[in-house]
Amino acid sequence: AMVTIIWARSWQLSWWMWHLLMAAAFGFVAYSAYSQYEREGASAGIFDGIVTRATAKEIRDQYGGALETLTDALQKSLQAGLSEREIELVVEGLSASFTLTEAQTEILARAARSLATERDQARRLAAMALIGTEVSVEKGDEAMLEEMIKIIGPRFTPDVVRIGRRADDDVVVYPAELSTGPWPEGAHEHVLDLDVGPDRVGVIEFARTAGEFRPRDIAIAETLAAEIGIALENARLYAQLDGLFRAYLSPDVADSLRADPSRAELGGSRVVLTALFADLRGFTSFSESTDPAVVMETLNRYFGRAVPVILRHGGTVVQFMGDALLAVFDAPAPRPDHAFRAARAAMAMQEALAEETDHDDAPPRFRIGINTGPALLGNLGSAEMRSFSVVGDAVNVASRLESWAEAGQVVIGHDTYTAISDRVTVTALGSLELKGKSEPIRAYRLEGITAVGSGDRPSAGSTGSASSRLVD
């Protein structure tokens, strides 16, 4: 048009020149359309290069929808086990719906198959990720494996997965709860050993009814078996560490630290509790004339009887000091009846240890002091080493009361007696002058328990009455 305006000598020449240019333009469009037809083999999409942007976006969306629809169909076909011909019918239907050429249909089918395979692999890999994040090592092997099977099942469909446990006689047992479904007969199978560290503990088997296992499927299966083995090994290590950890801490302390690690920080909190202090009277002279190995064995035997009694009554063993031990009640787990629990534990300890004095060369039974009052409970030590401890006058008084008790006796402070006076029988000892105390402390010798809790029985000296009895 610019050339026409500049060089035209008359309007007739401009008219003819304009039409010549238009004819050349349409000829170029026709040649382009023919060339694209030769490449594509069909007329669909010939004018894509000259449509508006909105129309092009709409067509791209349609192709994207076709790919997504086909991918979903292929995924469902994988799960439902459709035949190759049924899959081809799905592809042909989509090709007709979107007026696709044969080349476009083939490209779309390949893309959909690749995407379906990728999504299937992603589902299976997601199962392994969930096993690593959601399966708890605290529950033990069987519970962990059941959780894993629940995670694996919907993500490995249509394959069936089962775990076999190796029994003592080396026979593999397949529990029903460790299978994602009924085991198909005549299916293609892939079997892998399930190893936990150096031990072969079982097998994990995969079954596929439609088609064989491809290399990528086997790679995922091997990775899954390895992850299950690692999870089981971690559970074993956790159990070992937890056992070692608990052996050095009272169960309540271990549970509180695991629930709230911040409780391991130095310092403590002020609480009202009941302290129980016990030692073996005459043990020093016993140890002087006895081999150290025998002394150690004797102490372990005595503490082996005393500690379970304390724990059973809700106490926390804070410290062993030679032939003595310190326990507290109401810490770290609150116990509203901590004074009564301590009294019951003391009487039960004396009963449990009574048979240890049946032979002449055995040391005497524990003498026990109990006192109730405020104390500071927490962690004592340094950043490098610390221990769970209790500090306060109530604890010191319990230690001093213990020194007034005879072998096999329990002496309690006035605050403890006030808290449990309606459930025990005692003998008043009057006001005692205790070392380090400026004022005398009223004390009582515990004679028996007259009221019991659920599942308990009256301790030594019990009258079976629910009323208080004070023996002067």
Side-chain angles (χ1 to χ4, degrees):
M2 293 295 295
V3 169
T4 300
I5 293 172
I6 294 173
W7 297 103
R9 299 295 182 182
S10 64
W11 70 269
Q12 292 93 344
L13 183 61
S14 300
W15 187 87
W16 283 108
M17 187 174 291
W18 176 260
H19 281 77
L20 286 173
L21 290 172
M22 290 292 293
F26 279 110
F28 179 74
V29 170
Y31 173 76
S32 298
Y34 177 77
S35 299
Q36 185 166 349
Y37 174 81
E38 289 293 320
R39 289 196 305 270
E40 298 291 342
S43 59
I46 288 180
F47 297 100
D48 284 357
I50 57 175
V51 296
T52 64
R53 183 176 301 177
T55 305
K57 180 179 182 302
E58 181 180 353
I59 294 175
R60 285 196 300 271
D61 290 342
Q62 289 178 349
Y63 281 133
L67 178 60
E68 190 69 26
T69 301
L70 183 55
T71 301
D72 290 340
L74 288 173
Q75 279 190 294
K76 291 177 181 178
S77 72
L78 289 173
Q79 296 179 8
L82 297 181
S83 65
E84 191 66 26
R85 178 53 187 164
E86 290 173 314
I87 296 175
E88 291 178 359
L89 291 175
V90 174
V91 174
E92 291 174 3
L94 287 171
S95 175
S97 299
F98 291 94
T99 319
L100 302 180
T101 66
E102 185 177 348
Q104 290 172 328
T105 301
E106 183 180 352
I107 292 172
L108 184 63
R110 287 202 304 267
R113 288 180 187 276
S114 298
L115 187 56
T117 301
E118 181 181 343
R119 288 184 179 179
D120 184 60
Q121 290 178 327
R123 283 190 303 116
R124 298 176 182 234
L125 292 173
M128 288 181 273
L130 289 174
I131 287 174
T133 57
E134 294 189 6
V135 177
S136 173
V137 297
E138 301 178 11
K139 297 182 177 181
D141 290 2
E142 291 299 329
M144 284 180 61
L145 289 174
E146 290 181 20
E147 285 189 6
M148 292 177 190
I149 285 295
K150 291 178 181 178
I151 291 173
I152 293 170
R155 293 167 179 84
F156 272 69
T157 304
D159 296 345
V160 178
V161 184
R162 69 178 179 180
I163 296 176
R165 302 299 305 273
R166 195 177 298 277
D168 295 336
D169 54 359
D170 210 33
V171 174
V172 177
V173 180
Y174 298 93
E177 61 272 11
L178 297 184
S179 178
T180 61
W183 195 251
E185 297 294 336
H188 293 280
E189 297 182 9
H190 187 69
V191 182
L192 296 170
D193 289 326
L194 191 58
D195 298 328
V196 179
D199 302 326
R200 186 159 296 173
V201 299
V203 295
I204 178 168
E205 299 184 359
F206 303 82
R208 175 171 294 179
T209 55
E212 298 181 353
F213 290 96
R214 294 158 293 186
R216 59 174 173 266
D217 300 323
I218 295 174
I220 291 178
E222 291 173 348
T223 304
L224 177 64
E227 181 166 4
I228 292 175
I230 292 172
L232 293 175
E233 186 174 11
N234 288 339
R236 287 187 178 183
L237 292 173
Y238 174 84
Q240 293 174 1
L241 291 174
D242 190 54
L244 291 173
F245 178 63
R246 287 179 177 275
Y248 286 89
L249 288 174
S250 193
D252 281 345
V253 177
D255 290 339
S256 66
L257 289 176
R258 186 171 63 177
D260 184 7
S262 65
R263 293 191 176 187
E265 297 177 0
L266 291 174
S269 57
R270 185 180 176 89
V271 296
V272 175
L273 52 75
T274 298
L276 183 152
F277 198 93
D279 81 340
L280 292 167
R281 181 159 188 157
F283 193 82
T284 302
S285 59
F286 169 81
S287 60
E288 286 179 354
S289 58
T290 307
D291 182 84
V294 177
V295 173
M296 179 69 75
E297 189 275 332
T298 301
L299 284 175
N300 287 336
R301 189 171 70 250
Y302 270 63
F303 289 141
R305 290 183 176 273
V307 170
V309 172
I310 293 172
L311 299 180
R312 188 167 63 247
H313 287 83
T316 298
V317 179
V318 175
Q319 190 177 6
F320 295 101
M321 299 157 284
D323 64 329
L325 68 82
L326 171 63
V328 294
F329 294 76
D330 198 47
R335 314 280 189 186
D337 57 344
H338 50 87
F340 186 56
R341 287 175 176 269
R344 286 192 303 167
M347 298 301 287
M349 282 173 60
Q350 299 294 23
E351 289 183 359
L353 295 172
E355 63 185 61
E356 292 293 337
T357 61
D358 287 346
H359 41 94
D360 297 336
D361 59 343
R365 285 185 290 176
F366 278 117
R367 54 181 184 174
I368 301 174
I370 298 175
N371 191 52
T372 301
L376 192 67
L377 187 77
N379 299 296
L380 186 66
S382 66
E384 295 77 16
M385 182 176 292
R386 68 198 67 186
S387 64
F388 183 76
S389 186
V390 58
V391 179
D393 185 61
V395 181
N396 296 334
V397 170
S399 175
R400 299 292 183 261
L401 291 174
E402 173 268 325
S403 65
W404 277 87
E406 297 294 333
Q409 292 183 352
V410 179
V411 175
I412 65 175
H414 182 68
D415 289 339
T416 302
Y417 173 70
T418 301
I420 63 174
S421 60
D422 60 335
R423 289 175 282 182
V424 298
T425 58
V426 299
T427 297
L429 301 179
S431 297
L432 306 181
E433 297 286 344
L434 302 182
K435 183 179 178 180
K437 297 295 295 182
S438 59
E439 298 292 335
I441 299 296
R442 295 176 63 184
Y444 309 83
R445 184 171 63 245
L446 186 62
E447 304 291 352
I449 306 295
T450 60
V452 296
S454 176
D456 293 324
R457 58 182 178 83
S459 298
S462 173
T463 64
S465 170
S467 60
S468 171
R469 184 163 62 90
L470 177 62
V471 180
D472 294 320

